[in-house]
Amino acid sequence: MAAGLEPRGKSLQLEEETPAAQKGTTEHQGEVLDPRGENTDPQAEETLELEEDSLGAQGHVARQQAESPDPRGEPAEPWDVQPVLSELQAEPVELLPAVAAPVLEPQETARLVAAVRALHPLPGLPHLKRVRGGACPGPPHLLLCLARAPGLPPPLSALLPGLDVRGLGAPLPVRVPARRPLTPEQRERARAAWPTAFREDAQLARALDGRLFPGPERAALRAHMAGAVRAALRARARGLRAVGAVAVEPGSGRVLATAHDARGPCRPLRHAAMECLDLVARGQGGGAHGPPAPAPPACAPAPGPDGQPYLCTGCDVLLTREPCVMCAMALLHSRVRRVFYGAPSPDGALGTRFRVHAHPDLNHRFQVFRGLLEAQCRELDPDP
């Protein structure tokens, strides 16, 4: 195992198909024994696999696919993964009532703009352009001020007291964007109302256009999500809810943990995401469920809090189903970098009901993408 990967701790999986000698567990007549030799309920406790290969099974497949992309640099399958935007990015930009007037004498434009800007500076609205013209038919229009009351605006003498209004036509009501647009779609809608400044987020634009992930990374992400699907299928075979999760170290492609839902009458909180994060913690010498995992020869013990990242710092977590609020907050607390999920959930906290990952009052934010292997994930655990 490379020295640079040791601080992450061991790679743990919920598996049942690997021989017992590779799992660090003992199997006897269909029963699974934990490392202490005590019987455990197959539906109550996960079987622990300690990966001798630091990449793990999914990581190896992912790297093979990543090294053999389509000759054109793109995978053959369509890429329908989309970013889950924050509320500010997803909601339409609010429009405020304002007052404008046509500039009938273009040579007076500069003087009028300076005079109106001094009289009505529009604090808090620096994104608004003062003059609308160009593609709009007719003369350019000068933005005078926000509307003080609904209905037709008052005359220029009341709106611009003491100013030389030579060159201005009668005022008329308009609507202007209340804030700067954040996405290309918001920009188009905002500019349809009134010209506004827009600074494009290049990464967001690439994500919305499907250009953020190159072909090799798409193949790797698909392979990791396929591992989560397999884990969900194993859960279904055991009578559990078919939801799977995988935690990945993106720089190396190493699978840190693979888990599935382990809920039961006495275990209501053991969702797939919680199990996955707990396995990562157990790989670092912690964890809440089950005994500490013995260290395989290929993995040295973690050097301590100062020598390893905190839980999933900088990692990706892939889930077959959108997580709930509890799981979303656990992902946030573990400091993940990105979350990918396949199917949305009616109670989902990363796009459907809430957008926990982009809440402005929380001390960590992470990127979320939806739709990875969505059709397969929807079939695993369909909504009632």
Side-chain angles (χ1 to χ4, degrees):
M1 177 175 181
L5 300 181
E6 290 179 0
R8 280 288 181 191
K10 299 173 283 297
S11 176
L12 306 181
Q13 286 194 293
L14 297 176
E15 296 282 1
E16 288 185 303
E17 289 126 359
T18 306
Q22 296 180 13
K23 292 182 183 179
T25 63
T26 304
E27 296 184 4
H28 178 64
Q29 295 181 352
E31 294 181 332
V32 180
L33 306 182
D34 70 23
R36 297 169 297 184
E38 299 174 358
N39 290 343
T40 60
D41 178 3
Q43 294 188 5
E45 295 294 334
E46 71 272 18
T47 305
L48 195 61
E49 178 183 0
L50 302 176
E51 299 280 333
E52 292 186 2
D53 181 358
S54 63
L55 285 175
Q58 286 90 9
H60 178 68
V61 172
R63 183 159 66 173
Q64 282 187 329
Q65 295 191 18
E67 292 173 353
S68 303
D70 183 89
R72 298 185 302 273
E74 296 291 336
E77 299 179 48
W79 182 255
D80 297 325
V81 177
Q82 287 292 312
V84 178
L85 305 178
S86 68
E87 291 185 358
L88 283 180
Q89 292 170 328
E91 294 176 349
V93 176
E94 179 188 1
L95 298 179
L96 301 175
V99 181
V103 180
L104 304 178
E105 299 180 19
Q107 67 274 16
E108 300 290 337
T109 301
R111 177 186 65 81
L112 289 169
V113 168
V116 171
R117 181 177 286 124
L119 183 63
H120 299 297
L122 298 179
L125 301 172
H127 57 282
L128 294 178
K129 307 287 179 129
R130 277 290 180 168
V131 177
R132 179 177 67 183
C136 296
H141 285 71
L142 174 61
L143 179 61
L144 304 181
C145 60
L146 294 181
R148 300 171 185 172
L152 294 176
L156 288 176
S157 58
L159 289 170
L160 306 174
L163 291 188
D164 180 2
V165 295
R166 180 169 27 97
L168 278 181
L172 68 157
V174 295
R175 297 179 72 82
V176 297
R179 59 177 175 86
R180 179 173 61 88
L182 302 176
T183 67
E185 182 179 0
Q186 288 181 344
R187 173 194 60 192
E188 294 307 315
R189 292 184 178 182
R191 288 183 175 177
W194 190 268
T196 181
F198 174 71
R199 297 178 183 176
E200 184 175 59
D201 184 327
Q203 184 182 40
L204 177 61
R206 290 198 304 272
L208 292 171
D209 292 342
R211 297 179 288 110
L212 181 61
F213 301 100
E217 188 173 10
R218 294 183 183 185
L221 289 169
R222 283 196 181 97
H224 291 311
M225 183 61 87
V229 170
R230 290 193 294 271
L233 291 173
R234 288 193 292 273
R236 175 188 289 173
R238 299 172 64 184
L240 301 171
R241 191 167 182 181
V243 182
V246 172
V248 182
E249 197 171 53
S252 65
R254 183 165 71 106
V255 175
L256 300 176
T258 299
H260 59 64
D261 195 285
R263 275 176 280 183
C266 299
R267 308 180 306 277
L269 304 182
R270 297 185 67 171
H271 297 200
M274 302 296 287
E275 293 294 288
C276 189
L277 296 177
D278 189 71
L279 284 175
V280 173
R282 289 165 69 177
Q284 297 176 359
H289 301 149
C299 295
D306 296 332
Q308 66 176 351
Y310 175 74
L311 291 178
C312 292
T313 299
C315 290
D316 294 342
V317 174
L318 297 90
L319 303 159
T320 59
R321 188 175 177 87
E322 181 185 1
C324 65
V325 173
M326 175 187 71
C327 294
M329 288 302 296
L331 290 164
L332 182 145
H333 178 73
S334 68
R335 299 299 188 263
V336 296
R337 181 182 71 146
R338 301 183 302 189
V339 170
F340 297 81
Y341 65 82
S345 171
D347 296 322
L350 296 183
T352 300
R353 289 196 64 184
F354 306 101
R355 301 172 191 266
V356 168
H357 62 292
H359 198 287
D361 295 333
L362 297 177
N363 62 357
H364 176 68
R365 300 181 191 180
F366 53 94
Q367 296 178 329
V368 176
F369 299 87
R370 58 176 175 82
L372 184 57
L373 300 187
E374 181 174 356
Q376 298 180 38
C377 294
R378 282 184 180 273
E379 293 177 0
L380 288 169
D381 188 41
D383 296 327

